[in-house]
Amino acid sequence: MRHVDACAYLNIKPFQKELELPSHMHSWSPKEAKPPCELWRKKAGAFLRETIEVLWSSSGRESRRWLQKCKGLQDITVREAKIGFNATETYRKRELWGLEQSINEKNGKPRKIWLPAGIVIPCFHDGNLVRLRIRRLNEERSGRYIIVSGSNMRAMVFSPDKSVQCIVESELDALLLHQEVRNLTGIVSIGSANARPDKETDKILRRSRLILLSLDYDVKSGNPKPAFNFQFWMAQYDNVKRWPCPKGKDPGDAFLDGVNLQVWIESALQ
């Protein structure tokens, strides 16, 4: 399906022209995502197990309801993903998790690992925990999502051997798509619109037959975020197809608005 055909299907305005590709986009090369140290994995794993227990206790009832009602995730998906809930903000000493000491220049005190209250989203690679991302309950400072210090920033990938890969931002959106369309496509969550694939993810994308680029859209304007940067992806991969969600800014919004994600992905494969 051509770009204009896809836009007609999605009822959005097509882009009128491609921008010239900056030279640095052609010279980009992926970086290797180094795994966290063994002590970090041990400590982070213990913390994660505690938060999983909390999520499935009475204290986690509202968070489970939020994952289902606001993100479309079934209980079995949440369990398989090993999502947890941290009920209380806490701090841990960096050295106890195998991290180098870091001094806060403002107050001269050692920095600590911040574990805010919120939904705990783990990322695993080859069976090993490599990242903890926390979707905060209180967003007054430092943003909605927090990466726990020491985490690896590789992409979250489901079904890497599929011939079609769909790239999204949010890990929760990736889990939703894996839940709904795992028979059709692999899923790659890169975390943010301006993130780039790590070396291993780059290999997965290059050997795929088709890449569906489905990063978040600005709902009000109908345009991609400034950092969406189609040009980067098109400069690196000749098998990319733009495939924004027909409703809302991301697959989660679309699903909650009644979009059949199976039909949406099937339409990209025609």
Side-chain angles (χ1 to χ4, degrees):
M1 183 179 289
R2 295 178 300 116
H3 170 53
V4 292
D5 295 330
C7 289
Y9 170 78
L10 298 170
N11 193 28
I12 61 176
K13 184 178 180 181
F15 292 94
Q16 299 301 313
K17 63 180 180 179
E18 301 289 348
L19 299 177
E20 184 177 349
L21 300 177
S23 59
H24 72 272
M25 290 186 181
H26 293 286
S27 60
W28 171 83
S29 60
K31 298 180 180 179
E32 184 176 357
K34 297 182 180 179
C37 69
E38 183 177 353
L39 181 55
W40 186 95
R41 296 199 302 269
K42 179 181 178 180
K43 295 293 186 178
F47 168 74
L48 177 61
R49 288 190 292 274
E50 293 173 0
T51 65
I52 292 174
E53 290 183 7
V54 174
L55 180 66
W56 295 104
S57 71
S58 58
S59 300
R61 186 178 297 112
E62 289 301 316
S63 295
R64 297 197 305 271
R65 184 177 294 117
W66 180 83
L67 287 166
Q68 181 182 48
K69 299 297 183 182
C70 298
K71 294 299 178 181
L73 299 178
Q74 301 169 5
D75 283 353
I76 188 173
T77 301
V78 174
R79 286 189 182 277
E80 289 178 348
K82 299 183 178 179
I83 290 175
F85 173 60
N86 187 33
T88 305
E89 177 181 70
T90 185
Y91 294 84
R92 305 289 169 84
K93 292 182 178 180
R94 291 174 58 88
E95 57 268 30
L96 295 182
W97 282 40
L99 303 182
E100 292 183 1
Q101 189 179 79
S102 175
I103 302 299
N104 187 323
E105 295 179 356
K106 293 183 178 180
N107 58 26
K109 296 181 179 180
R111 289 189 174 92
K112 294 184 178 180
I113 296 174
W114 180 32
L115 302 172
I119 304 293
V120 181
I121 309 165
C123 179
F124 297 88
H125 178 68
D126 290 340
N128 294 314
L129 179 64
V130 297
R131 180 171 65 250
L132 291 176
R133 190 190 303 268
I134 300 179
R135 202 283 187 186
R136 299 181 60 213
L137 302 179
N138 183 349
E139 304 171 21
E140 293 181 358
R141 63 186 177 94
S142 301
R144 180 178 298 175
Y145 288 91
I146 298 299
I147 301 294
V148 174
S149 298
S151 294
N152 176 295
M153 293 309 298
R154 70 168 59 249
M156 177 185 282
V157 181
F158 296 98
S159 303
D161 295 330
K162 289 282 189 181
S163 64
V164 178
Q165 296 292 325
C166 182
I167 298 177
V168 298
E169 289 186 37
S170 164
E171 291 155 334
L172 295 178
D173 283 338
L175 285 167
L176 175 63
L177 284 176
H178 183 60
Q179 171 185 289
E180 298 295 319
V181 301
R182 69 176 69 189
N183 60 316
L184 296 175
T185 177
I187 313 295
V188 176
S189 166
I190 61 171
S192 68
N194 59 357
R196 300 294 180 246
D198 55 86
K199 184 173 291 187
E200 187 169 336
T201 304
D202 175 70
K203 292 179 180 179
I204 293 170
L205 296 175
R206 292 192 184 281
R207 68 172 180 251
S208 64
R209 174 178 63 84
L210 176 65
I211 300 171
L212 301 178
L213 196 61
S214 304
L215 303 183
D216 292 7
Y217 255 60
D218 185 320
V219 178
K220 293 182 179 180
S221 69
N223 292 322
K225 294 179 179 179
F228 190 109
N229 209 337
F230 290 126
Q231 288 69 39
F232 165 80
W233 295 94
M234 297 179 72
Q236 304 306 321
Y237 307 100
D238 58 10
N239 52 347
V240 172
K241 176 187 285 189
R242 303 175 183 179
W243 203 248
C245 293
K247 292 183 179 180
K249 68 178 178 62
D250 55 37
D253 284 355
F255 181 78
L256 295 177
D257 205 8
V259 172
N260 186 316
L261 297 180
Q262 279 265 346
V263 173
W264 173 58
I265 294 296
E266 287 173 349
S267 300
L269 305 180
Q270 296 175 0

